Amino acid sequence: MRFSTLLSASLLFAATVTGAPIVETLEELEERASVDFFKPTDKGGSLLDQSAGLGEPLNVIISGKSSPEVLTKDGFNNYARAVGYSIECFGQHRGDPQKANLGDGHGYSNEIEVLREHFSIPVLGTCLESLKGGNHLRMWQQNGPDANSGALFLAVSQEEDIIEHHDIVPDGYNIGRDRFVDGALGTKVFLWKKYTTTVVERRDLIVAAAEGVNHGISQDGVVKVLTVTVKNVWE
């Protein structure tokens, strides 16, 4: 059997067992890993999700050039725990899922995950966030037939406490994005995995404005693109 055939088969098996989307050939895998993301607006998508008739900015992107295991739901959740976020309090979520169109051929699709700041408190930390407010995020993946980068698009914001119905704080989209990114940069460790994160700012993806934005809160038009590399801690 040719080496390239063996390599393709190995990559297919690895994608299957880690939960990553399966690709059919080595060439497709290399093509997918060659781009950070595809610009959603090029194919009818938007950098605003749909929320109560308006939208929240998709202000952080996890690049398709990141380590493949980060670009799966479980892998992203582990990464998020390393940088300070986890699943909602006892897995409970209130409210309808928000939708986003990433221009990948799937149209408007439901969020894949909602995570909250855990304040370095195992299990109960996100319950504290639900009570007193803090950062939270929603996640979608660009993996459709028209734009299969594998990149993860996040809507990150800082919200009020439960008494204020978790409304977004003034300037909460910019604040939430920057707090998430600042907490992610550099090297973090979780469950014997070491995550190294770098950032590039993009100012050409969304217009700086409050128009069309949920709660009428202005955002500065900056989208931060993170590239995450994963290694075992003993490497």
Side-chain angles (χ1 to χ4, degrees):
M1 185 179 292
R2 293 171 54 192
F3 174 75
S4 60
T5 304
L6 282 170
L7 182 57
S8 296
S10 299
L11 290 166
L12 277 170
F13 176 74
T16 302
V17 297
T18 59
I22 297 175
V23 293
E24 294 183 354
T25 67
L26 178 61
E27 289 75 17
E28 287 178 356
L29 184 62
E30 290 173 340
E31 180 180 3
R32 175 173 168 176
S34 68
V35 296
D36 290 310
F37 60 91
F38 295 104
K39 192 174 180 180
T41 52
D42 285 347
K43 294 192 175 182
S46 175
L47 268 292
L48 289 175
D49 71 7
Q50 285 186 341
S51 168
L54 298 171
E56 297 188 353
L58 306 181
N59 49 16
V60 176
I61 299 173
I62 308 296
S63 167
K65 294 180 181 178
S66 299
S67 296
E69 70 178 81
V70 176
L71 305 178
T72 67
K73 182 177 178 178
D74 289 344
F76 173 72
N77 283 351
N78 282 341
Y79 170 66
R81 291 184 181 101
V83 302
Y85 298 76
S86 191
I87 60 173
E88 297 187 277
C89 182
F90 296 111
Q92 299 300 306
H93 176 67
R94 299 181 64 183
D96 295 330
Q98 294 185 14
K99 299 177 182 291
N101 183 350
L102 303 182
D104 62 358
H106 285 325
Y108 277 92
S109 302
N110 286 344
E111 62 202 20
I112 295 172
E113 190 64 277
V114 179
L115 302 178
R116 297 184 182 276
E117 193 172 2
H118 62 45
F119 303 107
S120 299
I121 303 173
V123 183
L124 297 179
T126 56
C127 299
L128 180 62
E129 193 280 339
S130 293
L131 290 173
K132 79 181 197 70
N135 257 33
H136 80 309
L137 64 87
R138 304 173 190 274
M139 183 268 279
W140 293 262
Q141 185 168 38
Q142 188 178 58
N143 60 0
D146 295 342
N148 185 17
S149 68
L152 307 180
F153 285 67
L154 313 182
V156 189
S157 57
Q158 186 171 27
E159 61 183 8
E160 302 276 11
D161 60 26
I162 193 170
I163 296 174
E164 298 295 331
H165 310 290
H166 292 156
D167 286 347
I168 307 301
V169 304
D171 200 31
Y173 298 116
N174 297 335
I175 292 172
R177 175 202 62 210
D178 291 345
R179 286 192 64 215
F180 176 85
V181 172
D182 289 347
L185 289 179
T187 299
K188 311 293 178 181
V189 175
F190 181 76
L191 289 182
W192 304 285
K193 295 287 186 179
K194 182 169 58 178
Y195 300 92
T196 301
T197 303
T198 61
V199 62
V200 173
E201 289 190 4
R202 292 286 296 266
R203 298 176 180 268
D204 60 331
L205 301 175
I206 186 170
V207 176
E211 184 178 356
V213 179
N214 201 12
H215 305 290
I217 296 172
S218 182
Q219 49 78 33
D220 59 13
V222 174
V223 177
K224 297 195 175 184
V225 182
L226 306 183
T227 301
V228 184
T229 302
V230 184
K231 292 184 178 181
N232 294 317
V233 292
W234 54 83
E235 292 185 89

